[in-house]
Amino acid sequence: MSNESGEIQRLRRTIEQLSDQMIRSKEQEERTLSEFSDMNNELVTLQRLLAKNNKSLEAARQQAVDAGDSKNAFIAGISHDFRTPLNGILGMAEMLKLSPLSEEQENSVSVIQDAAKLLLKLIQDLLDLSKLEAGQMRLELGEVDLQETINYIIRLLEPQVRKNGNQLSIDCDPRISTLLVGDSTRITQILINLIQNANKFTSEGTVRIRVTLMKDDETTQMIRFEVEDTGIGIPEEDQHQLFQPYMQTERGRSSEYGGTGLGLSICRSLVTLMEGQIGVDSQEGEGSTFWFELTLGKKDGNQSTNPSVASTQEHQGQNMDDEAPSVSVLLADDNVINRQLVMLQLKKLGITQVDAVVNGEEAIAAFLSKKYSLILMDYIMPLMDGLEATRKIRSIEMDEMRHTTPIIAMTGNVMQEEKDKCMEAGMNDFIGKPFTLEILRKMIEKWQQSSEPTEVLNMSIVHEIAELNTDGDRTLLGILLDMYRTETPGKIEVLRRHIVSGDHVAATEVAHDLKSGSLSLGIRYLSTLFARIEQFAKEGQSRKAEPLLDALLPAYQAACASLQQISKD
């Protein structure tokens, strides 16, 4: 009995212990659940805060994007609004200077030109600084002939240097390759800025340009450019901040010298963009040497082509004088001063067949009523802008299988993205306001030849093929035409893809193949289009070939239709 009582007691204690453990376990579970619930609530709160922060960050990001877009739009607008009247001032001053003037009148016109050019440079500096800060400045790599670049700069700046009583000298290392690869425009811009600075702070002294080969290997050359002057020099404490925006030495800020303090900052940014270095060595009262170093690629077949280029330009100039009366121009610009100026400039060039309209709708109506050698189209116009007018003109040409008329954008908005929009709309080229009579002349010369009527076929070649017989019923011309029709449309589409994607090498090969195939069949006009596209691609400027793409299919169809008719006859 006692054993049973003891066993019951043990069981009771065991049950109590188990019950106690269960209770403690339950309490622990409840505490854990409570902690988990608190943690879950905290997590939900954090998720809400994170979502709110993400929304705030996205709003801030979008605000920054909008601010950047607004800034770019503002700068583009300012550029256009300033350049348009400047075009009138500089253009009219240039035309006035070409007329008989007294010495006093000529001096007055020179003052007007100098003041307008100073304002233009300020506008360009502000645009460049804005693009550099936004990371929108792009290099345009191409052929660089340093000797020709230096010669151009000398011709441009020597009158200014002599006017200040200075001598300009050049020392160019003969070991430098004749042709290199880089951004010739930006190199020229940097050198002009440095030389103008040297001349500004030097009087009755010397400005020396040195171009030295620092390193040479199989594919590149490192070039050092130096601009040395004997001017006022720069205090040592000011030298470290010279390349900062709007920074000038105390003496440099005086009204005697003027300037904005943007030039050297832009030079530094451009050199950095080209992965180079820039610096200055100077002692106050003893002059300064500004230098920069760039690594430029070597171009295959380093032979100078300058003489042939010069002779070609001279020949084109003669053609311009002889044939100008046959050139007809459609001018579309809503600004009355610019219309008057361009018409005066064209008249000075011997071009009198000019029709002027004030908006895109009138431009399309004029285009439909008359054939023009080329069209000068303003970008911003009321009712219909130049881009939309160009798209409609290109559409009409394609639908009616017309030859393309060169359309030249003519606007004060010179930012690269605006140029790209012009090219994408179907324009052939771009003139930024303000422009000189010489710039307009060269542009017309460049596109005059392409605007002249071109025969669809070279009939002498076509007749030679047509006279050759085959053993079958079909003519050789018909067989070759069928082969051409089978292969060409696909190749044109391949060429289009290569041009749009910027694959210059592949585009060059396909364009050359299409050109050769077209020439062998006596297809004249289409082969000239392929030749122009091939040349653009070969120069690494495929973007300039894009406007020609829309002309390929109509030209191909016209050639095939003409050959088909001849093969039947």
Side-chain angles (χ1 to χ4, degrees):
M1 189 69 180
S2 59
N3 290 336
E4 291 179 0
S5 177
E7 186 67 26
I8 291 172
Q9 290 297 326
R10 283 194 300 273
L11 288 172
R12 184 180 288 115
R13 285 195 299 271
T14 301
I15 292 171
E16 289 175 353
Q17 290 173 356
L18 290 172
S19 178
D20 184 56
Q21 289 178 359
M22 291 176 64
I23 292 171
R24 285 198 298 270
S25 177
K26 184 68 175 177
E27 291 174 348
Q28 179 64 35
E29 182 181 349
E30 290 176 351
R31 285 196 299 270
T32 302
L33 287 172
S34 178
E35 291 175 358
F36 177 78
S37 178
D38 292 342
M39 291 174 62
N40 187 59
N41 290 336
E42 290 180 7
L43 180 60
V44 170
T45 302
L46 287 172
Q47 287 177 330
R48 287 201 301 268
L49 290 173
L50 181 60
K52 185 177 180 181
N53 287 340
N54 285 341
K55 188 175 181 180
S56 299
L57 287 172
E58 176 60 26
R61 187 195 69 81
Q62 189 59 47
Q63 187 177 5
V65 171
D66 293 342
D69 291 342
S70 298
K71 178 182 177 182
N72 290 338
F74 173 75
I75 292 172
I78 288 294
S79 172
H80 181 273
D81 292 345
F82 271 97
R83 284 174 173 273
T84 297
L86 269 177
N87 187 54
I89 296 170
L90 283 168
M92 288 298 186
E94 181 185 35
M95 298 301 295
L96 186 60
K97 204 162 187 177
L98 292 173
S99 62
L101 297 174
S102 67
E103 183 177 352
E104 183 179 358
Q105 290 171 329
E106 189 167 339
N107 289 336
S108 297
V109 174
S110 295
V111 171
I112 294 172
Q113 287 179 312
D114 290 344
K117 287 176 181 177
L118 184 62
L119 181 57
L120 178 63
K121 185 179 186 305
L122 173 59
I123 295 168
Q124 188 58 54
D125 283 349
L126 289 169
L127 281 173
D128 284 345
L129 183 65
S130 175
K131 287 189 285 187
L132 287 163
E133 287 180 342
Q136 295 178 344
M137 182 74 78
R138 294 183 293 181
L139 297 178
E140 296 182 7
L141 299 182
E143 188 176 284
V144 178
D145 184 336
L146 285 181
Q147 187 61 60
E148 180 61 28
T149 298
I150 297 296
N151 290 342
Y152 164 76
I153 293 172
I154 297 304
R155 290 195 302 270
L156 182 69
L157 298 183
E158 193 166 26
Q160 298 178 26
V161 174
R162 288 184 176 177
K163 187 177 179 181
N164 227 22
N166 295 317
Q167 295 295 320
L168 188 60
S169 64
I170 309 101
D171 183 8
C172 195
D173 195 328
R175 298 173 297 166
I176 296 175
S177 297
T178 304
L179 297 178
L180 295 166
V181 177
D183 191 329
S184 180
T185 300
R186 297 307 173 190
I187 294 172
T188 302
Q189 181 180 354
I190 296 166
L191 285 171
I192 287 176
N193 204 310
L194 296 181
I195 294 168
Q196 286 179 328
N197 272 358
N199 182 57
K200 181 167 65 172
F201 294 105
T202 305
S203 181
E204 303 296 332
T206 302
V207 176
R208 180 183 298 276
I209 307 167
R210 277 192 294 269
V211 186
T212 309
L213 178 63
M214 301 294 291
K215 185 179 178 182
D216 192 358
D217 59 35
E218 292 184 1
T219 58
T220 63
Q221 287 189 336
M222 179 184 286
I223 312 296
R224 181 180 175 93
F225 302 84
E226 295 181 351
V227 178
E228 179 185 3
D229 65 66
T230 57
I232 62 175
I234 304 165
E236 185 175 354
E237 61 271 17
D238 290 334
Q239 293 180 22
H240 71 281
Q241 61 182 7
L242 274 179
F243 296 98
Q244 300 299 319
Y246 306 106
M247 296 303 297
Q248 295 174 286
T249 64
E250 183 176 350
R251 191 169 178 183
R253 285 190 292 270
S254 67
S255 58
E256 178 185 357
Y257 299 110
T260 62
L262 289 176
L264 289 178
S265 171
I266 292 170
C267 287
R268 184 198 62 177
S269 297
L270 290 175
V271 170
T272 302
L273 189 63
M274 291 186 281
E275 300 181 350
Q277 294 181 318
I278 188 170
V280 60
D281 301 312
S282 180
Q283 289 188 2
E284 189 172 10
E286 297 184 14
S288 305
T289 299
F290 283 86
W291 58 268
F292 63 99
E293 295 177 350
L294 297 175
T295 298
L296 303 176
K298 288 183 178 179
K299 187 173 177 63
D300 295 336
N302 247 317
Q303 297 296 326
S304 175
T305 57
N306 292 336
S308 64
V309 172
S311 64
T312 300
Q313 290 175 340
E314 181 180 354
H315 178 67
Q316 288 177 331
Q318 293 170 353
N319 287 346
M320 177 77 177
D321 294 337
D322 296 339
E323 300 175 12
S326 65
V327 178
S328 58
V329 176
L330 173 60
L331 169 63
D333 195 319
D334 64 312
N335 187 285
V336 62
I337 295 175
N338 279 314
R339 286 201 308 274
Q340 291 175 349
L341 169 63
V342 175
M343 292 180 75
L344 282 173
Q345 290 174 321
L346 291 172
K347 185 177 180 181
K348 192 71 176 179
L349 294 173
I351 300 173
T352 56
Q353 299 180 42
V354 183
D355 294 330
V357 297
V358 300
N359 59 58
E361 290 184 352
E362 292 185 7
I364 293 172
F367 171 78
L368 289 170
S369 65
K370 181 178 177 181
K371 180 176 177 59
Y372 293 96
S373 303
L374 75 156
I375 301 172
L376 298 174
M377 184 82 74
D378 191 16
Y379 184 125
I380 301 174
M381 294 185 291
L383 297 182
M384 181 185 292
D385 63 27
L387 298 184
E388 184 62 25
T390 298
R391 293 189 190 99
K392 290 186 178 296
I393 288 172
R394 294 301 184 223
S395 177
I396 293 169
E397 289 173 337
M398 181 173 292
D399 292 342
E400 300 182 3
M401 296 180 64
R402 297 190 186 189
H403 294 310
T404 56
T405 302
I407 301 179
I408 314 302
M410 189 178 61
T411 178
N413 194 338
V414 297
M415 298 185 77
Q416 184 60 46
E417 53 267 31
E418 303 305 321
K419 294 182 182 180
D420 292 342
K421 289 178 183 177
C422 292
M423 297 299 107
E424 290 166 3
M427 294 182 176
N428 299 86
D429 220 323
F430 186 97
I431 303 180
K433 298 176 184 176
F435 52 84
T436 63
L437 186 66
E438 179 66 10
I439 290 174
L440 182 61
R441 180 185 68 80
K442 287 182 177 179
M443 185 64 68
I444 294 173
E445 283 180 1
K446 177 180 177 181
W447 292 102
Q448 179 186 357
Q449 183 65 32
S450 64
S451 67
E452 294 174 355
T454 308
E455 294 181 20
V456 174
L457 301 177
N458 183 334
M459 294 308 299
S460 62
I461 295 177
V462 173
H463 286 149
E464 286 179 9
I465 299 173
E467 290 172 0
L468 298 174
N469 295 322
T470 62
D471 296 334
D473 295 334
R474 299 179 63 200
T475 64
L476 178 61
L477 180 61
I479 294 172
L480 293 176
L481 176 58
D482 286 345
M483 294 171 59
Y484 185 77
R485 280 174 164 170
T486 301
E487 298 176 352
T488 303
K491 289 182 178 180
I492 289 177
E493 181 56 33
V494 171
L495 176 62
R496 179 188 297 273
R497 288 200 302 267
H498 290 324
I499 290 294
V500 173
S501 65
D503 190 340
H504 309 307
V505 175
T508 301
E509 293 175 355
V510 177
H512 180 79
D513 180 43
L514 285 165
K515 179 188 70 175
S516 300
S518 300
L519 287 172
S520 65
L521 266 178
I523 299 173
R524 173 172 285 171
Y525 175 62
L526 181 58
S527 66
T528 61
L529 294 179
F530 289 137
R532 288 168 62 192
I533 292 173
E534 178 189 6
Q535 186 61 36
F536 280 131
K538 191 179 295 183
E539 294 171 353
Q541 299 179 335
S542 295
R543 183 176 292 275
K544 291 185 178 180
E546 290 185 18
L548 299 174
L549 295 176
D550 290 337
L552 294 179
L553 188 58
Y556 162 75
Q557 293 170 339
C560 288
S562 298
L563 286 172
Q564 182 68 34
Q565 185 62 42
I566 294 171
S567 68
K568 287 180 179 179
D569 297 341

